[in-house]
Amino acid sequence: MMGQTMTVDRLAQLRGAPVFDSAGDKIGKVEEIFYDYESNQPEWIGLGTGFFGTKRVLVPVRDASIAGDGVSVPYSKDVVKDAPDVDGDEISPETERELYAHYSGGDADAPTGREGTVTRHEEELQVGKQSVEAGQARLRKWVETESVDVDVDLKRETARVTREKIDEPVSDADIGEDELKVPLRAEQPVVAKQTVAKERIGLEKDVETEKQTVSDEVRKERVDVEGGEDS
């Protein structure tokens, strides 16, 4: 029988959860759940495994228990591997007896009155994520020309006549023409340009997280019992 924690709803929530053997090693995951015809209760767990090739492996629900986020069964990996194979979505009474006999060490103690079991499937919504380009950020540089006015002070030499009175006799002085030249200098602006780095500009990306709700429809198989009682 199922333990108190292994309820029907809890078992349904464990689809895809890992299954561990008696040594605590993972031997597969919950892939299918087989229900009894009469009671509509889960009877067998179908393992999705890569350990046993393409063989379909079943373990009884009555011996399974919750183990953290998975399911634990009291059997070794070899015992599970050697269980009778199951074809199709229904288990015949003969196959079910063989399964119970295998897991009970040869003593077929399957509950009486069963005429086989069927497996009930449900679709589950699997939502994934993919990265797509949602836009583009561009950093562009161009050249702009502007007029710049700079004031500069320029010096210029000018000539000024000075007169100094003297009154003294001179000898051998010729009276005649004479000329004095004095060079006058002036400053002129000299313009030169140099390139100076003023600012470093770059682009950085930030990640924003937003929550979206994905809605779809999923199908569930239901089991109706005709000619008997559904407990």
Side-chain angles (χ1 to χ4, degrees), residues 55-66:
K55 181 177 179 179
R56 199 175 197 175
V57 177
L58 272 62
V59 293
V61 171
R62 65 178 187 175
D63 297 330
S65 60
I66 301 295

Side-chain angles (χ1 to χ4, degrees), residues 34-49:
F34 288 80
Y35 290 77
D36 179 70
Y37 268 125
E38 297 178 354
S39 66
N40 198 28
Q41 294 297 312
E43 199 70 27
W44 299 93
I45 297 175
L47 303 188
T49 71

Side-chain angles (χ1 to χ4, degrees), residues 159-166:
R160 180 168 52 87
V161 177
T162 62
R163 297 175 183 271
E164 183 182 354
K165 288 185 177 183
I166 57 175

